[in-house]
Amino acid sequence: MDLAYIPSPSTGVIHLGPIPLRGYAFCIIIGVFVAVWLGNRRWIARGGKPGTVADIAVWAVPFGLVGGRLYHVITDYQLYFGEGRDWVDAFKIWEGGLGIWGAIALGAVGAWIGCRLRGIPLPAWADALAPGIALAQACGRWGNWFNQELYGRATDLPWAVEITAGPNRDAGTYHPTFLYESLWCIGVALLVIWADRRFTLGHGRAFALYVAAYCVGRGWIEYMRVDEAHHILGLRLNVWTSIVVFVLAVVYLVLSAKLRPGREAVVEPDREAPGGKDGDKDGDKAAPAEADAGAAAAAADEQKPEPAESKAPVLTKSDPADAKAPVLTKDDPAKAEADAPEAGKR
């Protein structure tokens, strides 16, 4: 007899009149808010503007939800397109079924679009969001608890989760893999925050560290799960995905550190500065003023009085009439006195 275990909710939805409030959706929404809140703080700390993270999240979140659902439906197509299945269920996202791999991949496409519109580098934005995404996953995993899904092998440990009988599941106590992954994601978030402060990660390396660390935990947690999944060479598909993505993340970390060391000096250009989108207008207005100033300076130079000419006579030998005129100098006074009578005879 089990003396202690984690009870599961009797239902994953509460009806507020005609409006259903689903625990799975609430967990995802809470996760999104946590990611945006923490990402905004980190973005501002790196020199970005408040609100930029939320503006780009408007693109990233919808793309991520679609990508997560697509990955789940494609890798578990037998649940929706098999014999006796209804393909319409593939659109019932509130019943659970989001693949983090597809969510991150397609969410990155949405984030890239948002970053392009704002004129900021995607790697810097991803670095700011990395620990927040991990915390969002930690919150989202509790949606599996509401739906009584994605649990592990049977166990009698005190922290086992109680699962009630239902479609495709037997009553009993099982490993709460949703809890394991939630705690692991919290640890990943703390690791990324510490490493970012300790090593000043930049150019997407904080995000790559998050991906690599998450894959390590997802690999062993996935191995414990007992829900239906495709296997390749004896391993679940998501285990292979974790291995491949982990290798890619580590390679990016190494190459990025060699090719682009350090961190971005500017993560979000100032739109008010000259040369920016708004700066071009200011520059156009300033150009005529600068031209007028230059013209005024040129006119002032023309109006400056010419230096007074020297009134002292300049005696030259160019005029024959003056060829015999004595040249008076102060160098030889005696010579000047000797030549004086000659000058009088003229």
Side-chain angles (χ1 to χ4, degrees):
M1 180 178 179
D2 298 320
L3 299 179
Y5 54 82
I6 301 173
S8 291
S10 57
T11 179
V13 57
I14 300 176
H15 290 274
L16 186 62
I19 302 175
L21 304 178
R22 302 182 181 278
Y24 187 85
F26 267 115
C27 291
I28 294 177
I29 293 172
I30 292 173
V32 170
F33 274 103
V34 170
V36 172
W37 170 78
L38 181 58
N40 184 65
R41 289 175 59 89
R42 287 172 52 81
W43 183 253
I44 294 174
R46 292 191 60 176
K49 299 179 181 179
T52 297
V53 168
D55 291 343
I56 298 176
V58 171
W59 288 90
V61 172
F63 273 74
L65 291 175
V66 172
R69 188 60 176 178
L70 281 176
Y71 181 89
H72 169 72
V73 172
I74 292 173
T75 55
D76 291 311
Y77 61 88
Q78 72 280 355
L79 301 177
Y80 307 99
F81 304 102
E83 184 179 354
R85 303 289 184 175
D86 187 358
W87 62 271
V88 177
D89 293 340
F91 297 93
K92 298 179 179 179
I93 191 173
W94 55 86
E95 293 183 356
L98 288 175
I100 186 60
W101 314 113
I104 294 296
L106 205 55
V109 174
W112 176 80
I113 296 174
C115 287
R116 290 278 295 179
L117 294 176
R118 295 293 296 246
I120 64 177
L122 175 62
W125 187 85
D127 283 342
L129 262 289
I133 294 175
L135 292 179
Q137 290 178 249
C139 296
R141 274 306 173 194
W142 284 88
N144 303 136
W145 176 63
F146 280 100
N147 288 351
Q148 296 193 46
E149 60 185 359
L150 305 186
Y151 45 85
R153 295 186 293 269
T155 182
D156 57 357
L157 292 172
W159 56 84
V161 61
E162 180 192 30
I163 300 297
T164 60
N168 302 319
R169 67 173 186 248
D170 298 325
T173 55
Y174 300 86
H175 277 283
T177 52
F178 76 91
L179 176 61
Y180 298 161
E181 186 167 339
S182 179
L183 295 176
W184 182 267
C185 287
I186 294 175
V188 170
L190 296 176
L191 171 66
V192 173
I193 292 174
W194 170 82
D196 194 24
R197 292 178 177 175
R198 175 65 177 81
F199 302 104
T200 315
L201 302 177
H203 301 287
R205 288 189 288 276
F207 184 81
L209 176 61
Y210 144 72
V211 172
Y214 171 75
C215 288
V216 173
R218 179 63 184 267
W220 67 266
I221 294 171
E222 184 75 21
Y223 189 76
M224 297 177 63
R225 283 167 46 173
V226 294
D227 55 297
E228 186 177 356
H230 296 287
H231 287 72
I232 300 176
L233 299 178
L235 294 178
R236 293 166 65 96
L237 174 61
N238 283 330
V239 174
W240 283 110
T241 305
S242 298
I243 294 173
V244 172
V245 176
F246 170 80
V247 172
L248 293 176
V250 172
V251 170
Y252 180 88
L253 270 170
V254 175
L255 294 180
S256 176
K258 291 183 178 180
L259 299 176
R260 306 188 70 182
R263 175 184 285 180
E264 299 89 342
V266 178
V267 296
E268 186 170 6
D270 188 357
R271 291 193 168 192
E272 301 299 329
K277 189 173 182 180
D278 295 337
D280 293 339
K281 299 178 181 178
D282 296 338
D284 294 339
K285 293 178 181 179
E290 294 177 359
D292 293 342
D301 292 338
E302 294 179 359
Q303 295 176 0
K304 287 182 179 180
E306 294 293 334
E309 297 182 358
S310 174
K311 296 183 179 180
V314 178
L315 302 180
T316 64
K317 297 183 180 181
S318 59
D319 189 351
D322 298 333
K324 296 181 180 181
V327 178
L328 302 179
T329 64
K330 295 182 180 180
D331 296 335
D332 191 356
K335 185 178 180 181
E337 294 178 356
D339 293 337
E342 296 294 331
K345 291 180 182 181
R346 292 185 184 178

